[in-house]
PDB file of all heavy atoms in Angstrom:
ATOM      1  N   LYS X   1     -20.830 -34.602 -66.783  1.00  0.00           N
ATOM      2  CA  LYS X   1     -21.393 -35.885 -66.948  1.00  0.00           C
ATOM      3  C   LYS X   1     -21.140 -36.738 -65.758  1.00  0.00           C
ATOM      4  O   LYS X   1     -20.035 -36.595 -65.113  1.00  0.00           O
ATOM      5  CB  LYS X   1     -20.917 -36.539 -68.180  1.00  0.00           C
ATOM      6  CG  LYS X   1     -21.376 -35.796 -69.497  1.00  0.00           C
ATOM      7  CD  LYS X   1     -20.829 -36.609 -70.627  1.00  0.00           C
ATOM      8  CE  LYS X   1     -21.169 -35.794 -71.927  1.00  0.00           C
ATOM      9  NZ  LYS X   1     -20.600 -36.511 -73.284  1.00  0.00           N
ATOM     10  N   LYS X   2     -22.076 -37.563 -65.455  1.00  0.00           N
ATOM     11  CA  LYS X   2     -21.827 -38.594 -64.354  1.00  0.00           C
ATOM     12  C   LYS X   2     -20.999 -39.765 -64.825  1.00  0.00           C
ATOM     13  O   LYS X   2     -21.336 -40.337 -65.824  1.00  0.00           O
ATOM     14  CB  LYS X   2     -23.081 -39.025 -63.830  1.00  0.00           C
ATOM     15  CG  LYS X   2     -23.954 -38.073 -63.045  1.00  0.00           C
ATOM     16  CD  LYS X   2     -25.167 -38.562 -62.346  1.00  0.00           C
ATOM     17  CE  LYS X   2     -26.019 -39.297 -63.195  1.00  0.00           C
ATOM     18  NZ  LYS X   2     -27.249 -39.852 -62.633  1.00  0.00           N
ATOM     19  N   ILE X   3     -19.769 -39.969 -64.244  1.00  0.00           N
ATOM     20  CA  ILE X   3     -19.132 -41.171 -64.364  1.00  0.00           C
ATOM     21  C   ILE X   3     -19.396 -42.202 -63.399  1.00  0.00           C
ATOM     22  O   ILE X   3     -19.257 -41.997 -62.109  1.00  0.00           O
ATOM     23  CB  ILE X   3     -17.650 -40.846 -64.347  1.00  0.00           C
ATOM     24  CG1 ILE X   3     -17.243 -39.697 -65.343  1.00  0.00           C
ATOM     25  CG2 ILE X   3     -16.705 -42.038 -64.645  1.00  0.00           C
ATOM     26  CD1 ILE X   3     -17.535 -39.994 -66.801  1.00  0.00           C
ATOM     27  N   THR X   4     -19.844 -43.331 -63.759  1.00  0.00           N
ATOM     28  CA  THR X   4     -20.419 -44.305 -62.897  1.00  0.00           C
ATOM     29  C   THR X   4     -19.288 -45.105 -62.260  1.00  0.00           C
ATOM     30  O   THR X   4     -18.322 -45.590 -62.960  1.00  0.00           O
ATOM     31  CB  THR X   4     -21.459 -45.314 -63.484  1.00  0.00           C
ATOM     32  OG1 THR X   4     -22.440 -44.484 -64.078  1.00  0.00           O
ATOM     33  CG2 THR X   4     -21.951 -46.342 -62.489  1.00  0.00           C
ATOM     34  N   LEU X   5     -19.298 -45.306 -60.919  1.00  0.00           N
ATOM     35  CA  LEU X   5     -18.325 -46.127 -60.127  1.00  0.00           C
ATOM     36  C   LEU X   5     -18.949 -47.549 -59.912  1.00  0.00           C
ATOM     37  O   LEU X   5     -20.131 -47.664 -60.104  1.00  0.00           O
ATOM     38  CB  LEU X   5     -17.963 -45.502 -58.863  1.00  0.00           C
ATOM     39  CG  LEU X   5     -17.550 -44.020 -59.019  1.00  0.00           C
ATOM     40  CD1 LEU X   5     -17.110 -43.348 -57.722  1.00  0.00           C
ATOM     41  CD2 LEU X   5     -16.327 -43.928 -59.938  1.00  0.00           C
ATOM     42  N   THR X   6     -18.239 -48.410 -59.291  1.00  0.00           N
ATOM     43  CA  THR X   6     -18.683 -49.744 -59.021  1.00  0.00           C
ATOM     44  C   THR X   6     -19.652 -49.874 -57.909  1.00  0.00           C
ATOM     45  O   THR X   6     -20.444 -50.820 -57.894  1.00  0.00           O
ATOM     46  CB  THR X   6     -17.549 -50.677 -58.743  1.00  0.00           C
ATOM     47  OG1 THR X   6     -16.738 -50.242 -57.633  1.00  0.00           O
ATOM     48  CG2 THR X   6     -16.634 -50.789 -59.918  1.00  0.00           C
ATOM     49  N   LYS X   7     -19.582 -48.831 -57.060  1.00  0.00           N
ATOM     50  CA  LYS X   7     -20.592 -48.882 -55.841  1.00  0.00           C
ATOM     51  C   LYS X   7     -20.636 -47.546 -55.276  1.00  0.00           C
ATOM     52  O   LYS X   7     -19.767 -46.655 -55.563  1.00  0.00           O
ATOM     53  CB  LYS X   7     -19.916 -49.851 -54.800  1.00  0.00           C
ATOM     54  CG  LYS X   7     -18.625 -49.455 -54.117  1.00  0.00           C
ATOM     55  CD  LYS X   7     -18.154 -50.411 -53.167  1.00  0.00           C
ATOM     56  CE  LYS X   7     -17.559 -51.664 -53.755  1.00  0.00           C
ATOM     57  NZ  LYS X   7     -16.853 -52.419 -52.780  1.00  0.00           N
ATOM     58  N   PRO X   8     -21.686 -47.231 -54.512  1.00  0.00           N
ATOM     59  CA  PRO X   8     -21.708 -45.914 -53.792  1.00  0.00           C
ATOM     60  C   PRO X   8     -20.682 -45.770 -52.798  1.00  0.00           C
ATOM     61  O   PRO X   8     -20.362 -46.637 -52.033  1.00  0.00           O
ATOM     62  CB  PRO X   8     -23.145 -45.997 -52.991  1.00  0.00           C
ATOM     63  CG  PRO X   8     -23.919 -47.001 -53.727  1.00  0.00           C
ATOM     64  CD  PRO X   8     -22.870 -48.062 -54.300  1.00  0.00           C
ATOM     65  N   LEU X   9     -19.936 -44.582 -52.814  1.00  0.00           N
ATOM     66  CA  LEU X   9     -18.791 -44.336 -51.984  1.00  0.00           C
ATOM     67  C   LEU X   9     -18.856 -43.002 -51.570  1.00  0.00           C
ATOM     68  O   LEU X   9     -19.228 -41.992 -52.178  1.00  0.00           O
ATOM     69  CB  LEU X   9     -17.477 -44.554 -52.761  1.00  0.00           C
ATOM     70  CG  LEU X   9     -17.140 -45.968 -53.165  1.00  0.00           C
ATOM     71  CD1 LEU X   9     -15.954 -45.873 -54.129  1.00  0.00           C
ATOM     72  CD2 LEU X   9     -16.824 -46.757 -52.067  1.00  0.00           C
ATOM     73  N   SER X  10     -18.367 -42.825 -50.175  1.00  0.00           N
ATOM     74  CA  SER X  10     -18.283 -41.377 -49.619  1.00  0.00           C
ATOM     75  C   SER X  10     -16.788 -41.187 -49.683  1.00  0.00           C
ATOM     76  O   SER X  10     -16.013 -41.630 -48.873  1.00  0.00           O
ATOM     77  CB  SER X  10     -18.853 -41.380 -48.248  1.00  0.00           C
ATOM     78  OG  SER X  10     -18.537 -40.150 -47.736  1.00  0.00           O
ATOM     79  N   LEU X  11     -16.284 -40.295 -50.579  1.00  0.00           N
ATOM     80  CA  LEU X  11     -14.816 -40.187 -50.831  1.00  0.00           C
ATOM     81  C   LEU X  11     -14.290 -39.057 -50.072  1.00  0.00           C
ATOM     82  O   LEU X  11     -14.861 -37.930 -49.833  1.00  0.00           O
ATOM     83  CB  LEU X  11     -14.576 -39.810 -52.332  1.00  0.00           C
ATOM     84  CG  LEU X  11     -15.037 -41.036 -53.367  1.00  0.00           C
ATOM     85  CD1 LEU X  11     -15.045 -40.518 -54.800  1.00  0.00           C
ATOM     86  CD2 LEU X  11     -14.178 -42.264 -53.145  1.00  0.00           C
ATOM     87  N   ARG X  12     -13.191 -39.353 -49.375  1.00  0.00           N
ATOM     88  CA  ARG X  12     -12.588 -38.375 -48.343  1.00  0.00           C
ATOM     89  C   ARG X  12     -11.189 -37.987 -48.674  1.00  0.00           C
ATOM     90  O   ARG X  12     -10.584 -37.256 -47.898  1.00  0.00           O
ATOM     91  CB  ARG X  12     -12.791 -38.853 -46.830  1.00  0.00           C
ATOM     92  CG  ARG X  12     -14.172 -39.098 -46.489  1.00  0.00           C
ATOM     93  CD  ARG X  12     -14.295 -39.636 -45.156  1.00  0.00           C
ATOM     94  NE  ARG X  12     -13.541 -38.849 -44.097  1.00  0.00           N
ATOM     95  CZ  ARG X  12     -14.200 -37.910 -43.407  1.00  0.00           C
ATOM     96  NH1 ARG X  12     -15.563 -37.629 -43.752  1.00  0.00           N
ATOM     97  NH2 ARG X  12     -13.457 -37.119 -42.531  1.00  0.00           N
ATOM     98  N   ALA X  13     -10.530 -38.848 -49.382  1.00  0.00           N
ATOM     99  CA  ALA X  13      -9.081 -38.714 -49.613  1.00  0.00           C
ATOM    100  C   ALA X  13      -8.705 -38.697 -51.110  1.00  0.00           C
ATOM    101  O   ALA X  13      -9.294 -39.534 -51.766  1.00  0.00           O
ATOM    102  CB  ALA X  13      -8.266 -39.695 -48.918  1.00  0.00           C
ATOM    103  N   MET X  14      -7.707 -37.970 -51.592  1.00  0.00           N
ATOM    104  CA  MET X  14      -7.327 -37.859 -52.934  1.00  0.00           C
ATOM    105  C   MET X  14      -5.884 -37.639 -53.080  1.00  0.00           C
ATOM    106  O   MET X  14      -5.267 -37.096 -52.254  1.00  0.00           O
ATOM    107  CB  MET X  14      -8.071 -36.734 -53.686  1.00  0.00           C
ATOM    108  CG  MET X  14      -7.748 -36.657 -55.152  1.00  0.00           C
ATOM    109  SD  MET X  14      -6.264 -35.764 -55.617  1.00  0.00           S
ATOM    110  CE  MET X  14      -6.706 -34.100 -55.025  1.00  0.00           C
ATOM    111  N   ALA X  15      -5.185 -38.401 -54.036  1.00  0.00           N
ATOM    112  CA  ALA X  15      -3.826 -38.104 -54.450  1.00  0.00           C
ATOM    113  C   ALA X  15      -3.681 -38.216 -55.906  1.00  0.00           C
ATOM    114  O   ALA X  15      -4.366 -38.926 -56.604  1.00  0.00           O
ATOM    115  CB  ALA X  15      -2.924 -39.341 -53.803  1.00  0.00           C
ATOM    116  N   ARG X  16      -2.812 -37.455 -56.425  1.00  0.00           N
ATOM    117  CA  ARG X  16      -2.583 -37.264 -57.875  1.00  0.00           C
ATOM    118  C   ARG X  16      -1.110 -37.195 -58.177  1.00  0.00           C
ATOM    119  O   ARG X  16      -0.381 -36.390 -57.534  1.00  0.00           O
ATOM    120  CB  ARG X  16      -3.253 -36.153 -58.412  1.00  0.00           C
ATOM    121  CG  ARG X  16      -3.161 -35.959 -59.926  1.00  0.00           C
ATOM    122  CD  ARG X  16      -3.897 -34.631 -60.340  1.00  0.00           C
ATOM    123  NE  ARG X  16      -3.556 -34.110 -61.667  1.00  0.00           N
ATOM    124  CZ  ARG X  16      -3.812 -33.057 -62.119  1.00  0.00           C
ATOM    125  NH1 ARG X  16      -4.425 -32.125 -61.362  1.00  0.00           N
ATOM    126  NH2 ARG X  16      -3.363 -32.679 -63.412  1.00  0.00           N
ATOM    127  N   VAL X  17      -0.688 -37.987 -59.131  1.00  0.00           N
ATOM    128  CA  VAL X  17       0.666 -37.879 -59.641  1.00  0.00           C
ATOM    129  C   VAL X  17       0.693 -37.956 -61.229  1.00  0.00           C
ATOM    130  O   VAL X  17       0.233 -38.997 -61.671  1.00  0.00           O
ATOM    131  CB  VAL X  17       1.625 -39.092 -59.157  1.00  0.00           C
ATOM    132  CG1 VAL X  17       3.010 -39.059 -59.770  1.00  0.00           C
ATOM    133  CG2 VAL X  17       1.757 -39.098 -57.676  1.00  0.00           C
ATOM    134  N   GLY X  18       0.982 -36.868 -61.841  1.00  0.00           N
ATOM    135  CA  GLY X  18       0.765 -36.783 -63.209  1.00  0.00           C
ATOM    136  C   GLY X  18      -0.643 -37.050 -63.839  1.00  0.00           C
ATOM    137  O   GLY X  18      -1.539 -36.360 -63.289  1.00  0.00           O
ATOM    138  N   GLN X  19      -0.917 -38.044 -64.577  1.00  0.00           N
ATOM    139  CA  GLN X  19      -2.211 -38.239 -65.026  1.00  0.00           C
ATOM    140  C   GLN X  19      -2.912 -39.359 -64.149  1.00  0.00           C
ATOM    141  O   GLN X  19      -4.161 -39.679 -64.391  1.00  0.00           O
ATOM    142  CB  GLN X  19      -2.137 -38.858 -66.499  1.00  0.00           C
ATOM    143  CG  GLN X  19      -1.567 -37.825 -67.393  1.00  0.00           C
ATOM    144  CD  GLN X  19      -2.337 -36.498 -67.525  1.00  0.00           C
ATOM    145  OE1 GLN X  19      -3.518 -36.460 -67.592  1.00  0.00           O
ATOM    146  NE2 GLN X  19      -1.619 -35.404 -67.436  1.00  0.00           N
ATOM    147  N   ARG X  20      -2.291 -39.889 -63.227  1.00  0.00           N
ATOM    148  CA  ARG X  20      -2.797 -40.889 -62.407  1.00  0.00           C
ATOM    149  C   ARG X  20      -3.442 -40.262 -61.084  1.00  0.00           C
ATOM    150  O   ARG X  20      -2.783 -39.444 -60.493  1.00  0.00           O
ATOM    151  CB  ARG X  20      -1.806 -41.993 -61.983  1.00  0.00           C
ATOM    152  CG  ARG X  20      -2.374 -43.000 -61.038  1.00  0.00           C
ATOM    153  CD  ARG X  20      -1.353 -44.125 -60.795  1.00  0.00           C
ATOM    154  NE  ARG X  20      -1.277 -45.027 -62.052  1.00  0.00           N
ATOM    155  CZ  ARG X  20      -0.606 -46.152 -62.156  1.00  0.00           C
ATOM    156  NH1 ARG X  20       0.110 -46.602 -61.116  1.00  0.00           N
ATOM    157  NH2 ARG X  20      -0.667 -46.900 -63.254  1.00  0.00           N
ATOM    158  N   THR X  21      -4.626 -40.702 -60.854  1.00  0.00           N
ATOM    159  CA  THR X  21      -5.390 -40.176 -59.642  1.00  0.00           C
ATOM    160  C   THR X  21      -5.930 -41.343 -58.754  1.00  0.00           C
ATOM    161  O   THR X  21      -6.409 -42.358 -59.329  1.00  0.00           O
ATOM    162  CB  THR X  21      -6.580 -39.248 -60.051  1.00  0.00           C
ATOM    163  OG1 THR X  21      -6.049 -38.289 -60.968  1.00  0.00           O
ATOM    164  CG2 THR X  21      -7.219 -38.521 -58.857  1.00  0.00           C
ATOM    165  N   TRP X  22      -5.831 -41.222 -57.403  1.00  0.00           N
ATOM    166  CA  TRP X  22      -6.432 -42.071 -56.603  1.00  0.00           C
ATOM    167  C   TRP X  22      -7.449 -41.435 -55.604  1.00  0.00           C
ATOM    168  O   TRP X  22      -7.358 -40.292 -55.184  1.00  0.00           O
ATOM    169  CB  TRP X  22      -5.288 -42.789 -55.601  1.00  0.00           C
ATOM    170  CG  TRP X  22      -4.174 -43.573 -56.219  1.00  0.00           C
ATOM    171  CD1 TRP X  22      -4.166 -44.861 -56.351  1.00  0.00           C
ATOM    172  CD2 TRP X  22      -2.978 -43.084 -56.780  1.00  0.00           C
ATOM    173  NE1 TRP X  22      -2.997 -45.341 -56.934  1.00  0.00           N
ATOM    174  CE2 TRP X  22      -2.183 -44.140 -57.241  1.00  0.00           C
ATOM    175  CE3 TRP X  22      -2.437 -41.763 -56.827  1.00  0.00           C
ATOM    176  CZ2 TRP X  22      -1.008 -44.063 -57.815  1.00  0.00           C
ATOM    177  CZ3 TRP X  22      -1.206 -41.617 -57.465  1.00  0.00           C
ATOM    178  CH2 TRP X  22      -0.480 -42.878 -57.912  1.00  0.00           C
ATOM    179  N   LEU X  23      -8.478 -42.201 -55.444  1.00  0.00           N
ATOM    180  CA  LEU X  23      -9.641 -41.665 -54.499  1.00  0.00           C
ATOM    181  C   LEU X  23      -9.940 -42.851 -53.502  1.00  0.00           C
ATOM    182  O   LEU X  23      -9.965 -43.985 -53.915  1.00  0.00           O
ATOM    183  CB  LEU X  23     -10.840 -41.280 -55.170  1.00  0.00           C
ATOM    184  CG  LEU X  23     -10.663 -40.010 -56.099  1.00  0.00           C
ATOM    185  CD1 LEU X  23     -11.927 -39.844 -57.036  1.00  0.00           C
ATOM    186  CD2 LEU X  23     -10.687 -38.803 -55.248  1.00  0.00           C
ATOM    187  N   CYS X  24     -10.320 -42.484 -52.292  1.00  0.00           N
ATOM    188  CA  CYS X  24     -10.720 -43.526 -51.297  1.00  0.00           C
ATOM    189  C   CYS X  24     -11.542 -42.740 -50.211  1.00  0.00           C
ATOM    190  O   CYS X  24     -11.527 -41.575 -50.085  1.00  0.00           O
ATOM    191  CB  CYS X  24      -9.649 -44.319 -50.735  1.00  0.00           C
ATOM    192  SG  CYS X  24      -8.491 -43.436 -49.637  1.00  0.00           S
ATOM    193  N   GLY X  25     -12.179 -43.514 -49.355  1.00  0.00           N
ATOM    194  CA  GLY X  25     -13.006 -42.909 -48.335  1.00  0.00           C
ATOM    195  C   GLY X  25     -13.513 -44.046 -47.388  1.00  0.00           C
ATOM    196  O   GLY X  25     -12.863 -44.845 -46.926  1.00  0.00           O
ATOM    197  N   VAL X  26     -14.879 -43.991 -47.273  1.00  0.00           N
ATOM    198  CA  VAL X  26     -15.578 -44.937 -46.298  1.00  0.00           C
ATOM    199  C   VAL X  26     -15.497 -46.253 -46.995  1.00  0.00           C
ATOM    200  O   VAL X  26     -15.948 -46.367 -48.165  1.00  0.00           O
ATOM    201  CB  VAL X  26     -17.052 -44.389 -45.915  1.00  0.00           C
ATOM    202  CG1 VAL X  26     -17.600 -45.600 -45.200  1.00  0.00           C
ATOM    203  CG2 VAL X  26     -16.812 -43.251 -45.180  1.00  0.00           C
ATOM    204  N   GLY X  27     -15.294 -47.264 -46.260  1.00  0.00           N
ATOM    205  CA  GLY X  27     -15.195 -48.639 -46.924  1.00  0.00           C
ATOM    206  C   GLY X  27     -13.897 -49.126 -47.238  1.00  0.00           C
ATOM    207  O   GLY X  27     -12.841 -48.557 -46.926  1.00  0.00           O
ATOM    208  N   ASP X  28     -13.797 -50.259 -48.012  1.00  0.00           N
ATOM    209  CA  ASP X  28     -12.580 -50.818 -48.334  1.00  0.00           C
ATOM    210  C   ASP X  28     -12.096 -50.680 -49.680  1.00  0.00           C
ATOM    211  O   ASP X  28     -11.404 -51.588 -50.348  1.00  0.00           O
ATOM    212  CB  ASP X  28     -12.541 -52.420 -48.032  1.00  0.00           C
ATOM    213  CG  ASP X  28     -13.641 -53.104 -48.720  1.00  0.00           C
ATOM    214  OD1 ASP X  28     -14.505 -52.359 -49.312  1.00  0.00           O
ATOM    215  OD2 ASP X  28     -13.667 -54.400 -48.674  1.00  0.00           O
ATOM    216  N   THR X  29     -12.403 -49.626 -50.515  1.00  0.00           N
ATOM    217  CA  THR X  29     -12.232 -49.570 -51.882  1.00  0.00           C
ATOM    218  C   THR X  29     -11.326 -48.383 -52.095  1.00  0.00           C
ATOM    219  O   THR X  29     -11.475 -47.244 -51.575  1.00  0.00           O
ATOM    220  CB  THR X  29     -13.658 -49.326 -52.512  1.00  0.00           C
ATOM    221  OG1 THR X  29     -14.499 -50.298 -52.341  1.00  0.00           O
ATOM    222  CG2 THR X  29     -13.391 -49.066 -54.024  1.00  0.00           C
ATOM    223  N   LEU X  30     -10.406 -48.627 -53.015  1.00  0.00           N
ATOM    224  CA  LEU X  30      -9.393 -47.563 -53.535  1.00  0.00           C
ATOM    225  C   LEU X  30      -9.721 -47.609 -55.029  1.00  0.00           C
ATOM    226  O   LEU X  30      -9.772 -48.561 -55.744  1.00  0.00           O
ATOM    227  CB  LEU X  30      -8.094 -48.076 -53.181  1.00  0.00           C
ATOM    228  CG  LEU X  30      -7.006 -47.116 -53.833  1.00  0.00           C
ATOM    229  CD1 LEU X  30      -6.984 -45.667 -53.201  1.00  0.00           C
ATOM    230  CD2 LEU X  30      -5.552 -47.695 -53.759  1.00  0.00           C
ATOM    231  N   LEU X  31      -9.958 -46.339 -55.542  1.00  0.00           N
ATOM    232  CA  LEU X  31     -10.257 -46.136 -56.923  1.00  0.00           C
ATOM    233  C   LEU X  31      -8.866 -45.612 -57.593  1.00  0.00           C
ATOM    234  O   LEU X  31      -8.364 -44.743 -56.933  1.00  0.00           O
ATOM    235  CB  LEU X  31     -11.520 -45.104 -57.164  1.00  0.00           C
ATOM    236  CG  LEU X  31     -12.795 -45.516 -56.613  1.00  0.00           C
ATOM    237  CD1 LEU X  31     -13.794 -44.478 -56.708  1.00  0.00           C
ATOM    238  CD2 LEU X  31     -13.197 -46.864 -57.295  1.00  0.00           C
ATOM    239  N   ILE X  32      -8.739 -45.993 -58.826  1.00  0.00           N
ATOM    240  CA  ILE X  32      -7.689 -45.392 -59.518  1.00  0.00           C
ATOM    241  C   ILE X  32      -7.985 -44.992 -61.002  1.00  0.00           C
ATOM    242  O   ILE X  32      -8.900 -45.757 -61.589  1.00  0.00           O
ATOM    243  CB  ILE X  32      -6.453 -46.402 -59.546  1.00  0.00           C
ATOM    244  CG1 ILE X  32      -5.140 -45.794 -60.170  1.00  0.00           C
ATOM    245  CG2 ILE X  32      -6.794 -47.702 -60.254  1.00  0.00           C
ATOM    246  CD1 ILE X  32      -3.975 -46.618 -59.978  1.00  0.00           C
ATOM    247  N   SER X  33      -7.551 -44.006 -61.531  1.00  0.00           N
ATOM    248  CA  SER X  33      -7.832 -43.494 -62.853  1.00  0.00           C
ATOM    249  C   SER X  33      -6.489 -43.032 -63.639  1.00  0.00           C
ATOM    250  O   SER X  33      -5.762 -42.387 -62.952  1.00  0.00           O
ATOM    251  CB  SER X  33      -8.761 -42.387 -63.010  1.00  0.00           C
ATOM    252  OG  SER X  33      -8.958 -41.930 -64.207  1.00  0.00           O
ATOM    253  N   ASN X  34      -6.295 -43.580 -64.820  1.00  0.00           N
ATOM    254  CA  ASN X  34      -5.197 -43.155 -65.662  1.00  0.00           C
ATOM    255  C   ASN X  34      -5.593 -42.325 -66.847  1.00  0.00           C
ATOM    256  O   ASN X  34      -4.826 -42.106 -67.662  1.00  0.00           O
ATOM    257  CB  ASN X  34      -4.291 -44.290 -66.019  1.00  0.00           C
ATOM    258  CG  ASN X  34      -3.729 -45.126 -64.868  1.00  0.00           C
ATOM    259  OD1 ASN X  34      -3.121 -44.523 -64.018  1.00  0.00           O
ATOM    260  ND2 ASN X  34      -3.893 -46.401 -64.886  1.00  0.00           N
ATOM    261  N   THR X  35      -6.844 -41.963 -66.773  1.00  0.00           N
ATOM    262  CA  THR X  35      -7.473 -41.343 -67.968  1.00  0.00           C
ATOM    263  C   THR X  35      -8.171 -39.958 -67.634  1.00  0.00           C
ATOM    264  O   THR X  35      -9.196 -39.599 -68.151  1.00  0.00           O
ATOM    265  CB  THR X  35      -8.548 -42.258 -68.607  1.00  0.00           C
ATOM    266  OG1 THR X  35      -9.517 -42.486 -67.608  1.00  0.00           O
ATOM    267  CG2 THR X  35      -7.946 -43.503 -69.098  1.00  0.00           C
ATOM    268  N   GLN X  36      -7.536 -39.210 -66.737  1.00  0.00           N
ATOM    269  CA  GLN X  36      -8.173 -37.965 -66.226  1.00  0.00           C
ATOM    270  C   GLN X  36      -9.534 -37.983 -65.788  1.00  0.00           C
ATOM    271  O   GLN X  36     -10.355 -37.181 -66.070  1.00  0.00           O
ATOM    272  CB  GLN X  36      -7.986 -36.966 -67.394  1.00  0.00           C
ATOM    273  CG  GLN X  36      -6.514 -36.586 -67.906  1.00  0.00           C
ATOM    274  CD  GLN X  36      -6.507 -35.520 -68.994  1.00  0.00           C
ATOM    275  OE1 GLN X  36      -7.392 -35.413 -69.668  1.00  0.00           O
ATOM    276  NE2 GLN X  36      -5.283 -34.905 -68.927  1.00  0.00           N
ATOM    277  N   GLY X  37      -9.755 -39.081 -65.165  1.00  0.00           N
ATOM    278  CA  GLY X  37     -11.015 -39.286 -64.497  1.00  0.00           C
ATOM    279  C   GLY X  37     -12.249 -39.962 -65.438  1.00  0.00           C
ATOM    280  O   GLY X  37     -13.417 -40.036 -64.931  1.00  0.00           O
TER     281      GLY X  37
END
């Protein structure tokens, strides 16, 4: 299923600690999830 984000993003970097995940890429936006995405 598609999970909608706030804006179009080209994601290039990821980090994960436990259930928390961070994603970022082009632009000034960092995404964070505490719910397994």
Side-chain angles (χ1 to χ4, degrees):
K1 296 180 179 179
K2 293 190 297 183
I3 305 298
T4 303
L5 308 177
T6 56
K7 66 180 73 169
L9 292 171
S10 178
L11 300 170
R12 298 176 58 88
M14 182 275 293
R16 178 184 167 195
V17 175
Q19 300 300 315
R20 177 170 289 186
T21 308
W22 295 265
L23 290 169
C24 67
V26 176
D28 60 347
T29 301
L30 176 66
L31 299 175
I32 186 171
S33 174
N34 296 313
T35 57
Q36 298 182 337

